[in-house]
Amino acid sequence: MGYKDAQWRKSMELKLDYNNMMVDYIGEEQGFTAKDFADNKKVIASAFNTVSENKGKGMMGWTELPFNQKDIVADILATAKDIKKKFDNFVVLGIGGSALGPIAVFQALCHLRHNELPKSKRKAPKLYVEDNVDPERMTALLDVIDINKTMFNVVTKSGATSETMSQYLIIMDILKKKLGDKAKDHMIATTSESKGNLIKIAKEEGLKTFYIPDGVGGRFSELCPVGLLPAAVVGIDIKQLLAGAAHMDKICRSKDIKKNPALISAFLEYLAMQRGKNISVMMPYADSLKYIADWYCQLWGESLGKAVDNEGNYVYVGQTPVKALGVTDQHSQVQLYREGPFDKVITIIAVENFRSTVNISKGCENIPDVSFLCDHTMNELINAEREATEYALTTAKRLNYTITLPEVNAFTIGELLYMFEMETAYAGAMLNINTFNQPGVEGGKNATYALLGRRGYEETKKEMDNAPKKNPDYIC
């Protein structure tokens, strides 16, 4: 059976257990009640209606991605097939949503040591996602790849992203010097079809191009060519990924909050924010899901951290997203979560069935503190540790809930990504903010442009030059 089978799809549905957010389990001081749900019926209904009415419109074009890309997917699959035949490496040049989504899906669905496998086992190019402008990183990349056997994918909707375009300039210069007219055969552009600098450059250089729809912002772009092309190149079933997202979309059409996991998780986080819980911790218990937490941090933080509401009132809302990894961060962060301030909600991601089983060997029979592990599996151990963390948080009256994946595959990852996107949209509607803009990001961008002498930012440069000089007394 596969994702085209209704029974299989049903068996792969995510489960959301929010018992440990409720008064019955963590007590009256911290827990939520049925009355909280009843008192906020209008807030819930309004958020559901706002999101439903705007699906496919404006910057909610991402809601159409599971359904409207048949021809695009065919083009991506054909391109990926050609890349697999000709190249040993596939390098994504991008930042933010152009990088975090591809990294998260690659980590989730490929062999955890993909790049270290011999090509005969990989059966796909190595994937590198270059999401920073640290000069040592660029040098290190060039030390480990053969330009002649590498395809680059430059990803920026505007073509004005300084970090990405600096990478493009460096790599294209190298390609032209080494390959001459064949440089264009080693670069694919993913950008806006109708505006921006990169589409102009792509046409001038004769680059193969994929398009980011106008209604899809960077942090919501993983299910368009931004994420689908790298995924297809490394052998991920992108049709199944989109099918999982489509299935979650169907589930999220329910007005009944108890049948809509994205709506209920958004409401729980909204309630938590109203009570000063301004930190949202994402803690998957699987290495394959480690970078889902990184992707979530951008989605949640950039979408909900807003100074003003839709009426222009200063509200300064949002939650600070924090990434953690179970079991690793039980040994670094859980001490704080269990005994520190009551300012957090912890979202645990569980996996029922891992893709491999590892038995714990016999030994150390004379040391009871070690030998109790024998005859168990690492699968049992990681899930026992997850349950133990959940129990420890709950007995300390700390808000936490668990999302469970039956297994990690392209379908369930599609579900999970889309659920988080819908949760974010619902939460933004509850907070009465513009979920899809990012004015706070522009300040840093504009200052960078001014420092590097970009035309049009002369006034910003003057402002920076006239800013108070640093006091040496405050430097030690």
Side-chain angles (χ1 to χ4, degrees):
M1 290 194 296
Y3 69 90
K4 294 182 180 180
D5 181 86
Q7 184 177 349
W8 185 88
R9 291 196 301 271
K10 185 70 177 174
S11 73
M12 288 295 130
E13 287 182 1
L14 311 185
K15 298 181 183 69
L16 192 151
D17 177 353
Y18 60 98
N19 276 276
N20 299 333
M21 301 287 282
M22 304 303 290
V23 67
D24 318 49
Y25 293 87
I26 62 169
E28 293 184 3
E29 189 173 347
Q30 301 296 327
F32 304 141
T33 66
K35 187 176 184 298
D36 290 318
F37 282 71
D39 290 347
N40 286 279
K41 275 187 177 179
K42 288 185 179 179
V43 171
I44 296 166
S46 177
F48 177 83
N49 291 334
T50 295
V51 172
S52 298
E53 290 165 7
N54 286 285
K55 286 178 71 175
K57 301 175 184 176
M59 290 309 295
M60 284 194 68
W62 54 270
T63 58
E64 297 300 304
L65 295 176
F67 311 103
N68 66 357
Q69 298 189 93
K70 183 178 180 181
D71 292 342
I72 295 166
V73 166
D75 190 3
I76 288 172
L77 291 174
T79 302
K81 185 178 180 181
D82 189 55
I83 291 169
K84 288 179 188 179
K85 289 179 181 177
K86 297 178 180 178
F87 298 96
D88 291 340
N89 310 297
F90 188 83
V91 178
V92 175
L93 308 176
I95 199 166
S98 301
L100 290 170
I103 291 169
V105 171
F106 171 61
Q107 176 81 1
L109 298 175
C110 286
H111 191 287
L112 293 179
R113 309 287 184 189
H114 176 90
N115 283 3
E116 297 171 40
L117 290 172
K119 191 172 183 180
S120 59
K121 289 188 177 180
R122 269 189 288 115
K123 298 180 180 179
K126 295 179 181 179
L127 176 66
Y128 299 93
V129 182
E130 299 304 296
D131 65 341
N132 208 346
V133 289
D134 184 330
E136 293 184 22
R137 180 169 179 161
M138 177 60 74
T139 302
L141 173 70
L142 296 172
D143 282 342
V144 299
I145 62 170
D146 179 349
I147 287 287
N148 295 284
K149 296 180 179 179
T150 302
M151 173 64 80
F152 295 89
N153 180 202
V154 55
V155 187
T156 164
K157 192 172 185 180
S158 66
T161 307
S162 298
E163 299 85 356
T164 305
M165 294 312 295
S166 69
Q167 293 173 333
Y168 166 80
L169 289 168
I170 293 164
I171 295 300
M172 185 54 86
D173 181 58
I174 293 171
L175 288 173
K176 286 183 175 180
K177 286 176 179 176
K178 288 203 171 194
L179 304 173
D181 292 342
K182 293 183 179 179
K184 65 181 178 60
D185 299 327
H186 290 251
M187 182 77 74
I188 294 173
T190 304
T191 188
S192 169
E193 183 176 9
S194 57
K195 54 190 175 183
N197 300 313
L198 186 53
I199 186 61
K200 297 174 186 175
I201 294 168
K203 288 178 179 177
E204 289 172 2
E205 298 287 354
L207 305 182
K208 169 70 178 176
T209 309
F210 288 98
Y211 302 121
I212 306 169
D214 288 341
V216 177
R219 57 190 178 273
F220 291 87
S221 66
E222 174 55 22
L223 297 175
C224 80
V226 169
L228 296 182
L229 177 59
V233 168
V234 292
I236 292 167
D237 187 340
I238 61 174
K239 290 184 178 179
Q240 187 177 135
L241 188 71
L242 291 170
H247 189 72
M248 181 54 65
D249 180 83
K250 182 179 179 181
I251 293 171
C252 291
R253 292 175 194 173
S254 175
K255 292 182 179 180
D256 184 346
I257 191 169
K258 293 190 175 181
K259 295 180 180 178
N260 185 332
L263 184 60
I264 201 162
S265 58
F267 177 63
L268 292 169
E269 297 282 7
Y270 168 80
L271 276 182
M273 282 184 259
Q274 304 312 300
R275 299 188 185 183
K277 317 293 186 185
N278 290 323
I279 298 174
S280 175
V281 179
M282 181 62 61
M283 192 170 188
Y285 271 75
D287 273 63
S288 61
L289 303 179
K290 177 179 180 178
Y291 291 107
I292 293 291
D294 290 64
W295 172 83
Y296 162 84
C297 282
Q298 183 196 10
L299 179 71
W300 197 247
E302 201 167 74
S303 296
L304 301 186
K306 300 295 162 64
V308 298
D309 65 14
N310 289 325
E311 281 71 52
N313 303 304
Y314 282 93
V315 289
Y316 302 109
V317 296
Q319 275 182 320
T320 300
V322 173
K323 58 185 179 180
L325 177 66
V327 170
T328 301
D329 288 314
Q330 285 177 213
H331 296 266
S332 64
Q333 297 182 31
V334 168
Q335 170 64 36
L336 172 66
Y337 300 161
R338 190 168 190 264
E339 294 191 5
F342 287 84
D343 58 356
K344 303 170 191 69
V345 180
I346 297 93
T347 304
I348 295 169
I349 307 181
V351 176
E352 283 183 359
N353 299 301
F354 287 83
R355 291 170 292 201
S356 60
T357 299
V358 176
N359 295 310
I360 300 173
S361 306
K362 290 184 179 296
C364 302
E365 286 83 356
N366 62 331
I367 307 176
D369 290 350
V370 177
S371 62
F372 80 96
L373 295 166
C374 302
D375 293 325
H376 290 289
T377 65
M378 293 188 83
N379 308 54
E380 291 176 278
L381 179 58
I382 193 169
N383 278 327
E385 297 227 36
R386 173 182 53 76
E387 290 179 28
T389 298
E390 180 186 335
Y391 175 78
L393 291 169
T394 303
T395 55
K397 305 186 186 308
R398 308 299 167 131
L399 293 172
N400 68 93
Y401 63 98
T402 299
I403 299 166
T404 301
L405 281 64
E407 63 184 55
V408 177
N409 59 41
F411 186 87
T412 58
I413 292 301
E415 284 186 288
L416 186 64
L417 296 178
Y418 195 84
M419 191 199 89
F420 283 142
E421 290 176 344
M422 288 295 289
E423 175 195 35
T424 302
Y426 288 137
M430 291 174 189
L431 292 169
N432 188 34
I433 57 169
N434 184 336
T435 314
F436 307 105
N437 67 355
Q438 56 217 41
V441 177
E442 301 307 315
K445 285 184 177 181
N446 294 343
T448 301
Y449 298 153
L451 287 170
L452 293 179
R454 180 175 169 180
R455 283 187 298 175
Y457 291 85
E458 292 82 4
E459 287 303 313
T460 303
K461 182 65 166 62
K462 286 181 183 178
E463 289 175 16
M464 295 180 73
D465 289 343
N466 292 326
K469 303 301 178 186
K470 290 189 176 181
N471 187 337
D473 291 344
Y474 299 152
I475 301 173
C476 66

